[in-house]
Amino acid sequence: MRGTVLALAMVSMAGSAAAQTPDESAVRSLEAREVAAIMADDVPALEHIWDEAFVVNSPNNAISVGRASVVGLLRAGVIDYHRFDRAVERVTVNGDVAVAMGAETVQPKAGPQAGRLLQRRYTNIYVRRPDGWRMIARHANLAPPQGQSLDPPR
């Protein structure tokens, strides 16, 4: 619960720096609601956020195709965290497509990384449907503590 509150606060703080359009605000709200729903194992809420055609390229080097596949991972305990913090750094809206990018800290409950704090970079892609914004794609990767550089060593 504490992690969820922190995540919601981080999402709110990241979005308060500049004036937001109603679409940006809606996407930022969905970003926070997704974290809260994952922490609460709230599948109905996630089914409202994730499009039926949702695809995920995850840090475990696997691609999950379809919302049902990702919900299956949640129900199997593959997606299950002690902590999940998200800092939305940028939301860009172009017509009926929105892209949210930022950083996440997660602490998995199970698996080879159980109990460790993991830093990730992520991109979530939304499309506007008649009933609102839906997440259609997600990519998350583990971020090395020192960051990455494209410059060759000197």
Side-chain angles (χ1 to χ4, degrees):
M1 180 65 173
R2 195 176 89 205
T4 301
V5 172
L6 178 60
L8 293 175
M10 289 177 69
V11 170
S12 297
M13 288 187 303
S16 62
Q20 297 175 18
T21 68
D23 287 332
E24 279 182 71
S25 295
V27 169
R28 286 180 183 276
S29 174
L30 287 170
E31 290 283 285
R33 288 172 39 207
E34 184 199 27
V35 170
I38 287 171
M39 292 302 292
D41 292 322
D42 187 346
V43 172
L46 291 167
E47 289 176 332
H48 183 73
I49 295 166
W50 297 339
D51 194 80
E52 191 173 326
F54 185 44
V55 294
V56 178
N57 189 1
S58 66
N60 68 356
N61 298 317
I63 297 174
S64 300
V65 179
R67 178 177 63 204
S69 172
V70 182
V71 167
L73 294 174
L74 186 76
R75 288 186 170 140
V78 175
I79 301 171
D80 194 12
Y81 305 113
H82 290 292
R83 175 179 169 183
F84 185 168
D85 305 326
R86 175 179 287 163
V88 179
E89 296 171 11
R90 173 103 180 155
V91 172
T92 301
V93 178
N94 189 347
D96 289 337
V97 176
V99 179
M101 297 177 173
E104 297 173 336
T105 300
V106 296
Q107 185 179 31
K109 289 183 178 180
Q113 307 277 5
R116 292 184 56 205
L117 285 179
L118 305 175
Q119 306 300 314
R120 303 192 300 207
R121 300 295 300 168
Y122 82 93
T123 302
N124 290 335
I125 302 169
Y126 294 82
V127 66
R128 187 192 326 263
R129 298 286 191 218
D131 59 344
W133 290 100
R134 300 277 190 219
M135 191 184 300
I136 59 166
R138 170 176 169 77
H139 176 261
N141 63 281
L142 293 176
Q146 74 281 1
Q148 294 179 340
S149 173
L150 299 178
D151 296 328
R154 294 182 184 192

